[in-house]
Amino acid sequence: MDRKASAKQLFFFSVINYIGTAIGILSVMFIYPKDLAFIGTIRYIDSIAQTIFPVMVLGASHALIKFYPALDEKHRRQLFNYSIASVSAISLGVLLLVITVGHFTEYENSGLLYYAFPIAVSLAFIELFKKQAQDLQRIAVPTLYERIIPKIVLPLAFLLLLGHIFSVQESILVYVGGYGAVFLLTAIYLFKRFRPGFNYRFKTLFGTISRKDYFRYSLYSFAGSLGSLLAFRIDGIIIPEFISVEANGIFSNGVTLASTLQIPAVGMFALYAPIISSYLQNHNMKELDMKYKEVARLLFFIGAVLYSCIFFGINDLFSLLPDSDKLQGSVPVIQILGFSVLINMATGFNGEIITYSRYYRFNLIAVLLLIVLNVGLNIYFLSYTGLGIIGVAYASFLSMTLFNMAKLAFIYKKFGLLPFDAKFLQLGIIFLLCGLGVYYLPDTRSHLFNLVYKTGLSLAINVIVAYRMKLVWQLNRWVDKILPL
């Protein structure tokens, strides 16, 4: 596919992510607080499914990307068929394990495993189909199904429950059915464009690629994927076990809102990934260093502007909403996790530099470090402090910060690169001084006025000063295009 078509796919990919996020934010503010126990249960089921499905995939989806270019059309179809066969076989094994846990153990929430399993199977095949679609440069439509349908189905299940039309179990089944719909629609879309046939004799496939190399790469990819999910999804499993599903609902609402900060970073990393890979392959460290600093400064600016608005406006915004008393509990979580996302953005594309270099195995070490830190800190805060979900947020913040610091130190040691420069420091000082100034301004009796004047003032000062000092060249270019002098 040509560059114009690829850019079009990337554009639609970004738009779809923003639409899905907008639906999620509206649901968090107006629907989910009406039954925190139900949203907590859903998030618990979802966390279990997200943990199980990498086991079913076992790195097969990443192997499709890795080995696809080296194969002819016949062996590409065989590789895809082999991936389907392996995911199906492992899924049956996982089902037997779920039945064993459900019938022969005293696990309190074993009944929820039967809801999580079909979601996990759907996610496993969706992941596989998406990677094949990525090989075909057809990622926008599968992303539309994956990002939008569950975001619509979950509020629908809520409304059916709140309207006393469906029971809790029936509403959960609606949510499960949403993932089944994504699975079917993605399959239909893919198989209209790619016909793998039914050749399940794989001897010729592994005569073309090394079986040893295939399984080594698949297992490495599986370990990395599972590690990342354990690190980022463990909160949704630990909170119901240590506190309650209601607390899990409050925490998940905070996670949803805090994660909106990182949307610009996701698109930016996708855009720069091929460029980073090219610089590393050509040993162009000078250009890589320049882009590393440039992108980190831009993402820090965007993240800090958004975080400032959230920090100063979230309390007043929630006070204006119908279920403000139920939303207020997530404010500290949003502020802590939002700051964690800001740090992640400020460190730039450090993960991509490691991934596309010959030191890619370090990512697995870093993820394992993150798992140990996150699980250990979660257990500590929940067992030895009375902070509750705020402690979980602190655990996530500390582990993610140390995770990013470890990657920064590794990149500096191996490449001599850092994402920070004098302009980055100047930006940090501007945001700090502006934040302190706005924070100590007096509040009025009107939540709406406080929301507008504090967030507006913070936004205006930070943007104007950064523009006048020319600290972010992309900002100056955008402003000059919109307001030509």
Side-chain angles (χ1 to χ4, degrees):
M1 179 171 283
D2 61 28
R3 184 175 297 179
K4 183 177 179 180
S6 297
K8 185 178 180 181
Q9 287 282 309
L10 180 59
F11 170 76
F12 283 117
F13 178 85
S14 301
V15 170
I16 290 163
N17 275 281
Y18 276 107
I19 293 172
T21 301
I23 295 171
I25 291 173
L26 292 173
S27 300
V28 165
M29 292 193 298
F30 295 103
I31 300 176
Y32 300 161
K34 296 184 182 299
D35 194 334
L36 292 173
F38 184 67
I39 186 61
T41 301
I42 289 290
R43 295 307 187 201
Y44 186 50
I45 292 170
D46 192 59
S47 294
I48 294 172
Q50 293 282 350
T51 305
I52 293 174
F53 98 84
V55 178
M56 298 174 175
V57 177
L58 204 67
S61 59
H62 292 284
L64 277 176
I65 300 293
K66 171 71 174 177
F67 296 102
Y68 194 85
L71 300 173
D72 58 27
E73 193 60 35
K74 174 186 174 182
H75 290 105
R76 287 174 177 177
R77 292 195 295 269
Q78 279 190 314
L79 179 62
F80 181 73
N81 284 335
Y82 183 80
S83 302
I84 290 178
S86 66
V87 171
S88 300
I90 297 170
S91 297
L92 287 175
V94 172
L95 176 59
L96 293 175
L97 181 61
V98 168
I99 293 172
T100 301
V101 172
H103 283 78
F104 300 105
T105 69
E106 297 181 358
Y107 176 47
E108 183 180 352
N109 294 309
S110 59
L112 298 181
L113 293 174
Y114 294 101
Y115 296 111
F117 176 77
I119 295 177
V121 173
S122 298
L123 287 170
F125 282 104
I126 290 166
E127 174 72 8
L128 196 65
F129 296 161
K130 277 179 58 185
K131 292 299 183 184
Q132 184 60 45
Q134 187 174 335
D135 281 328
L136 302 174
Q137 294 289 294
R138 298 277 187 174
I139 193 63
V141 173
T143 301
L144 173 68
Y145 296 149
E146 185 189 26
R147 298 299 173 93
I148 302 300
I149 292 177
K151 294 287 177 67
I152 295 174
V153 170
L154 182 53
L156 175 63
F158 252 90
L159 295 175
L160 291 170
L161 176 66
L162 295 173
H164 305 289
I165 300 171
F166 280 1
S167 66
V168 170
Q169 289 75 19
E170 290 169 335
S171 297
I172 293 174
L173 287 174
V174 170
Y175 182 66
V176 174
Y179 278 98
V182 176
F183 162 59
L184 289 174
L185 289 170
T186 305
I188 292 169
Y189 176 82
L190 175 64
F191 292 137
K192 280 185 176 180
R193 291 153 182 81
F194 178 75
R195 300 183 183 276
F198 295 95
N199 184 357
Y200 285 89
R201 298 178 64 184
F202 304 116
K203 180 178 281 189
T204 58
L205 172 64
F206 290 110
T208 305
I209 60 175
S210 166
R211 188 185 295 266
K212 183 179 179 181
D213 288 345
Y214 176 86
F215 283 109
R216 179 188 293 141
Y217 184 82
S218 296
L219 289 173
Y220 170 80
S221 300
F222 157 70
S225 298
L226 181 61
S228 295
L229 283 167
L230 283 173
F232 295 111
R233 293 280 179 174
I234 197 67
D235 302 331
I237 297 175
I238 287 180
I239 293 173
E241 298 295 335
F242 278 81
I243 309 176
S244 66
V245 290
E246 290 85 357
N248 197 36
I250 296 171
F251 188 84
S252 69
N253 288 342
V255 171
T256 299
L257 293 174
S259 63
T260 59
L261 286 172
Q262 67 187 3
I263 294 178
V266 174
M268 192 73 68
F269 294 155
L271 178 65
Y272 277 93
I275 300 173
I276 298 164
S277 180
S278 175
Y279 286 155
L280 288 167
Q281 289 178 14
N282 297 323
H283 304 287
N284 192 346
M285 293 297 110
K286 182 178 180 181
E287 290 293 327
L288 178 61
D289 182 45
M290 184 181 73
K291 288 295 181 185
Y292 193 23
K293 290 178 168 58
E294 179 183 290
V295 171
R297 199 184 319 127
L298 172 61
L299 289 177
F300 174 63
F301 172 76
I302 295 172
V305 167
L306 294 175
Y307 181 74
S308 299
C309 293
I310 290 175
F311 184 86
F312 291 120
I314 195 69
N315 269 305
D316 292 305
L317 175 62
F318 282 175
S319 297
L320 296 170
L321 299 177
D323 294 291
S324 61
D325 55 326
K326 296 179 180 178
L327 288 166
Q328 290 294 341
S330 63
V331 170
V333 174
I334 296 168
Q335 292 174 335
I336 296 167
L337 294 183
F339 194 63
S340 177
V341 172
L342 175 59
I343 291 176
N344 188 52
M345 293 174 70
T347 55
F349 43 66
N350 52 17
E352 283 68 22
I353 290 176
I354 297 171
T355 297
Y356 297 115
S357 74
R358 61 192 179 96
Y359 303 109
Y360 64 91
R361 291 181 180 85
F362 179 78
N363 271 336
L364 180 57
I365 298 172
V367 167
L368 292 174
L369 171 66
L370 178 58
I371 294 171
V372 172
L373 284 170
N374 202 12
V375 173
L377 288 169
N378 267 290
I379 292 173
Y380 168 76
F381 277 109
L382 290 172
S383 300
Y384 300 102
T385 73
L387 293 173
I389 58 172
I390 297 177
V392 176
Y394 278 125
S396 180
F397 164 72
L398 291 171
S399 56
M400 278 299 298
T401 301
L402 292 171
F403 174 64
N404 278 297
M405 294 304 106
K407 290 193 291 185
L408 284 176
F410 183 82
I411 291 172
Y412 183 72
K413 180 180 179 181
K414 296 298 183 181
F415 302 99
L417 304 177
L418 283 174
F420 314 121
D421 57 11
K423 289 186 176 180
F424 189 104
L425 178 61
Q426 289 175 302
L427 272 178
I429 294 172
I430 290 167
F431 280 107
L432 177 62
L433 294 177
C434 177
L436 289 172
V438 174
Y439 180 79
Y440 285 107
L441 287 174
D443 289 327
T444 68
R445 294 182 179 181
S446 170
H447 291 294
L448 179 60
F449 185 79
N450 290 335
L451 173 66
V452 172
Y453 107 85
K454 283 203 168 184
T455 58
L457 189 60
S458 174
L459 178 64
I461 292 174
N462 286 318
V463 170
I464 291 172
V465 174
Y467 173 80
R468 291 295 184 187
M469 295 181 67
K470 298 182 179 180
L471 299 178
V472 183
W473 71 266
Q474 295 95 333
L475 171 67
N476 286 74
R477 187 184 66 180
W478 295 336
V479 172
D480 291 340
K481 277 188 176 182
I482 296 171
L483 301 172
L485 298 178

